[in-house]
Amino acid sequence: MTTSATPVRTRFAPSPTGYLHLGGARTALYSWAYARHFGGTFVLRIEDTDLERSTPEAVQAIIDGMKWLGLEHDEGPFYQMKRMERYGEVLEQMLKEGTAYHCYSSPEEVEAMREKMRAAGEKPRYDGTWRPEPGKTLPAVPADRKPVVRFKNPLDGVVSWDDVVKGTITIANREMDDLVIARPDGTPTYNFCVAVDDWDMQITHVLRGDDHVNNTPRQINILRAIGAPLPQYGHLPMILGADGEKLSKRHGAVSVMDYPAQGYLPEAMLNYLARLGWSHGDDEVFSMDQFCEWFNLNHLSKSAAQFNNEKLAWLNNHYIKLADNERLAGLARPLMVEAGAQFDGAPDLPLILGIMKERANTVNELATAAMLFYREPQPDAALLAQHLTDAVKPALAQFAERCQSVEWSKEVLSATLKEVLAAHGMKMPQMAMPLRLIVTGQLQTPGIDLVLQVLGRETILARLAKYL
């Protein structure tokens, strides 16, 4: 791995208000890979200060998603709600140093300030009523009101940073008002907690979605106020659906954990997400070891990526073909049991999946295709009448008779079929189609000689006897 002069420390810091979505998974992947590239540390932090929306179920969904993807964290998970004492210490220090102050304005008063500014055509904001300044007389403290704590944002100058994705971003301090960093009950707010956490956890690189761009100048100002070093920031463009709109449920699955349920392999999802906003020449298929070796921040795309289900399915097919058949059997068997598969006396499942996986885009498709070997066939009556004609029955009967004594191998069965066809002046489809229907209930299967071999002499003779 490449080394860095400063130990690289990245973090993935989701809010547990729902499932782990694809954009979050990509952020986690890039942060994990960057840490791995430099032999650094990847931190998992759960930002759970939104008590109304954060749930234990959402926390578990995030951890389950990370585990399925194999994005192992080196430290954590850290929970912000367990760090309240630390936040309190920093708040007290900021109040003491004058970089924060108590504000007693009620929510109604703050809204009235903003409404007045809107009416004047100005940007709505807190007007600084309780902001202490030299020579300024503050209002009398209301006896029945608990204050919030506000950050004393600089009034002049700009906040500027070199974003590793978007380039230099500059925002004037006058565009920001004095942010509430602690509520009346003392619980700290999002931007304050993030700044303290990144400081305490010595985060060197922050990769996150570009919906956080507006939070960054606030966090930078807080970090500067508490004397903390600044991490490098990189804001990743969002992932769009094929129609160019923000990815949502109407485009299909957006929760990472919907994908294993649909039969996708984690290595396919990781490979696909890696290319949604990053590139290494024209390379499309690569392992995570290769990705970590290649990954840097210079080839992150400034443009939004479009999610393409067909491309993901193509990659999944690639990884299914590479996958160990025993592993595929472990994934497919529960699906097949639910569909009524009978495994007693049936062919070896890993063997069957090895035969069938070439054309399967998902494990679910593979399980469905393999069912023909694990249930009694129920041919469609109309199809059977169409293909099992009086003309073909004598040929099938002769084939059944030959099947009682021939060597039971794919090669011999294929030769026997051809001999019977030649004797009756018929072509392969005339006999193969009704034979497929009788022994599998389907018109489309792998090569009929292979199907016959795998199902076995006893099963084939029993099924043919029902119709001849």
Side-chain angles (χ1 to χ4, degrees), residues 155-421:
L155 297 175
D156 303 312
V158 299
V159 183
S160 186
W161 73 95
D162 291 323
D163 195 279
V164 298
V165 179
K166 296 179 174 293
T168 301
I169 298 177
T170 301
I171 297 176
N173 278 315
R174 64 176 178 273
E175 292 295 313
M176 298 176 281
D177 57 5
D178 288 355
L179 178 72
V180 173
I181 56 176
R183 303 175 182 91
D185 64 0
T187 58
T189 59
Y190 171 77
N191 280 297
F192 172 76
C193 292
V194 169
V196 174
D197 289 345
D198 285 345
W199 180 29
D200 285 355
M201 296 173 193
Q202 298 177 292
I203 302 302
T204 60
H205 295 78
V206 173
L207 299 177
R208 56 189 177 188
D210 61 6
D211 52 332
H212 285 281
V213 166
N214 289 336
N215 291 325
T216 301
R218 295 185 178 280
Q219 292 169 18
I220 287 175
N221 278 343
I222 292 172
L223 285 166
R224 285 174 172 159
I226 59 181
L230 301 182
Q232 271 194 282
Y233 293 95
H235 292 87
L236 306 166
M238 66 176 62
I239 299 174
L240 305 177
D243 57 1
E245 298 296 321
K246 184 177 179 181
L247 198 64
S248 64
K249 286 186 177 180
R250 64 190 175 83
H251 295 106
V254 289
S255 166
V256 166
M257 291 310 290
D258 286 340
Y259 285 90
Q262 291 180 11
Y264 287 88
L265 300 179
E267 54 266 44
M269 178 58 74
L270 287 167
N271 192 158
Y272 184 67
L273 287 176
R275 288 287 283 111
L276 275 183
W278 171 88
S279 62
H280 184 269
D282 295 326
D283 292 292
E284 294 285 351
V285 180
F286 41 81
S287 69
M288 282 302 99
D289 285 344
Q290 186 68 77
F291 177 55
C292 290
E293 182 180 331
W294 287 340
F295 186 72
N296 58 47
L297 305 179
N298 300 327
H299 293 93
L300 291 171
S301 174
K302 294 178 171 62
S303 305
Q306 287 192 315
F307 196 86
N308 184 306
N309 286 300
E310 289 74 24
K311 183 69 173 292
L312 174 60
W314 173 81
L315 271 173
N316 205 52
N317 169 259
H318 169 81
Y319 283 105
I320 283 175
K321 287 187 286 190
L322 293 179
D324 176 77
N325 294 333
E326 290 285 352
R327 175 192 174 197
L328 292 175
L331 296 170
R333 185 181 290 270
L335 303 174
M336 296 173 69
V337 168
E338 189 176 343
Q342 299 296 319
F343 292 101
D344 290 343
D348 179 64
L349 182 57
L351 170 68
I352 294 300
L353 298 183
I355 294 169
M356 308 290 287
K357 67 183 182 179
E358 188 74 22
R359 297 182 180 180
N361 285 339
T362 66
V363 174
N364 296 23
E365 286 181 14
L366 182 58
T368 299
M371 283 296 292
L372 70 89
F373 293 98
Y374 299 94
R375 64 183 170 201
E376 283 293 317
Q378 295 179 327
D380 178 79
L383 287 174
L384 204 57
Q386 178 185 342
H387 293 284
L388 185 58
T389 62
D390 289 340
V392 80
K393 283 182 180 179
L396 280 173
Q398 184 180 353
F399 178 70
E401 184 180 349
R402 296 278 301 273
C403 280
Q404 294 180 31
S405 57
V406 298
E407 177 190 332
W408 203 260
S409 68
K410 178 175 176 287
E411 293 74 20
V412 172
L413 288 165
S414 177
T416 304
L417 268 172
K418 290 173 183 175
E419 289 167 8
V420 172
L421 286 169

Side-chain angles (χ1 to χ4, degrees), residues 130-152:
W130 289 93
R131 178 182 174 116
E133 300 288 2
K136 177 180 178 180
T137 302
L138 298 178
V141 174
D144 59 346
R145 191 177 300 166
K146 290 184 177 181
V148 298
V149 177
R150 288 187 182 272
F151 172 60
K152 197 174 184 183

Side-chain angles (χ1 to χ4, degrees), residues 70-83:
L71 300 179
E72 296 181 357
H73 50 274
D74 303 304
E75 294 180 10
F78 298 108
Y79 296 86
Q80 288 183 330
M81 287 305 296
K82 294 182 179 180
R83 287 174 45 78

